[in-house]
């Protein structure tokens, strides 16, 4: 089952959050440094720029990135897994254990997502806001159900693919996307 648009959206969200977070942290550090350098009117201008919300924004972006990154990890085979017991099983016993593990992951993430959705709905009605950005907290907390439902879907997607073809996604650490292995660099 291939949903390229969802794969692309998931990857772009993660890339955007990493890039934006990096830029915000860099600008915040630069702002802090330049605020302490005596430069007359330029220093006054720099001090007048408000970066007080940068830390809060980066924390929220990190939470969103972690939830979507976990779903990406399940889809691509880079999510953390413990296979010590699995490696000791015979091939005949591996498939049911792997399927059980994938389905247990789907049930767990579905449960977390549903609890998270209830929490988001309650916060939507409550009207709480974040301290610095004054964002509605339901937007911040929405990462939990959205990322967890996506992760649940990824567990089901991998389980179905494994059931049909017997293959789990495998991440090759030596492979770099977009680089031809036969290409010689000078």
């Amino acid at each position: 089952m291939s949903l390229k648009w969802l794969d692309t959206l998931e990857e772009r969200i993660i890339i955007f959050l990493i890039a934006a977070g990096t830029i915000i942290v860099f600008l915040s550090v630069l702002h802090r440094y330049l605020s302490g350098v005596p430069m007359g009117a330029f220093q006054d201008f720099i001090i007048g720029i408000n970066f007080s919300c940068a830390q809060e924004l980066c924390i929220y972006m990190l939470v969103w990135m972690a939830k979507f990154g976990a779903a990406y990890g399940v889809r691509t085979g880079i999510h953390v897994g413990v296979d010590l017991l699995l490696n000791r099983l015979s091939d005949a016993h591996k498939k049911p254990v792997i399927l059980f593990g994938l389905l247990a992951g789907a049930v767990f993430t579905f449960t977390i997502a549903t609890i998270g959705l209830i929490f988001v709905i309650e916060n939507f009605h409550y009207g709480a806001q974040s301290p610095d950005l004054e964002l509605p907290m339901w937007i911040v907390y929405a990462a939990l159900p959205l990322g967890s439902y996506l992760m649940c879907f990824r567990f089901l997607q991998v389980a179905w693919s494994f059931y049909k073809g017997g293959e789990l996604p495998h991440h090759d650490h030596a492979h770099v996307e977009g680089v031809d292995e036969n290409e010689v660099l000078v």
Side-chain angles (χ1 to χ4, degrees):
M1 178 168 35
S2 177
L3 298 170
K4 289 292 183 195
W5 67 270
L6 183 60
D7 297 351
T8 303
L9 178 65
E10 179 182 55
E11 291 165 2
R12 288 184 181 187
I13 288 171
I14 295 167
I15 290 167
F16 170 77
L17 292 170
I18 290 172
T22 302
I23 291 167
I24 290 167
V25 168
F26 172 76
L27 292 174
S28 179
V29 169
L30 185 65
H31 176 263
R32 237 185 341 255
Y33 173 76
L34 291 176
S35 295
V37 177
M39 295 181 286
F42 184 69
Q43 183 185 21
D44 294 338
F45 171 75
I46 293 294
I47 290 173
I49 298 173
N50 185 3
F51 261 95
S52 64
C53 63
Q55 181 178 356
E56 182 179 300
L57 179 60
C58 285
I59 290 169
Y60 297 154
M61 291 169 69
L62 182 66
V63 169
W64 276 79
M65 183 180 56
K67 290 305 297 175
F68 283 86
Y72 174 82
V74 170
R75 175 174 60 93
T76 60
I78 60 174
H79 196 274
V80 175
V82 180
D83 57 0
L84 180 66
L85 175 64
L86 191 63
N87 290 338
R88 296 184 181 271
L89 295 175
S90 67
D91 289 340
H93 291 99
K94 280 185 183 180
K95 188 169 185 175
V97 172
I98 290 171
L99 282 173
F100 174 78
L102 291 169
L103 294 175
V107 168
F108 176 76
T109 53
F110 182 82
T111 303
I112 295 298
T114 304
I115 293 169
L117 180 61
I118 292 166
F119 185 70
V120 167
I121 292 169
E122 288 173 356
N123 271 274
F124 179 78
H125 294 299
Y126 180 65
Q129 291 185 330
S130 66
D132 292 334
L133 292 170
E134 297 181 359
L135 276 174
M137 287 306 291
W138 69 268
I139 293 173
V140 176
Y141 296 145
L144 184 61
L146 292 175
S148 295
Y149 280 130
L150 179 60
M151 194 171 178
C152 174
F153 173 74
R154 294 303 187 189
F155 272 120
L156 293 172
Q157 187 179 33
V158 170
W160 180 256
S161 175
F162 178 72
Y163 176 74
K164 285 298 201 183
E167 289 290 321
L168 288 171
H170 177 71
H171 179 70
D172 182 8
H173 298 286
H175 176 72
V176 177
E177 193 74 34
V179 175
D180 184 13
E181 293 178 13
N182 298 327
E183 187 177 300
V184 177
L185 299 175
V186 180

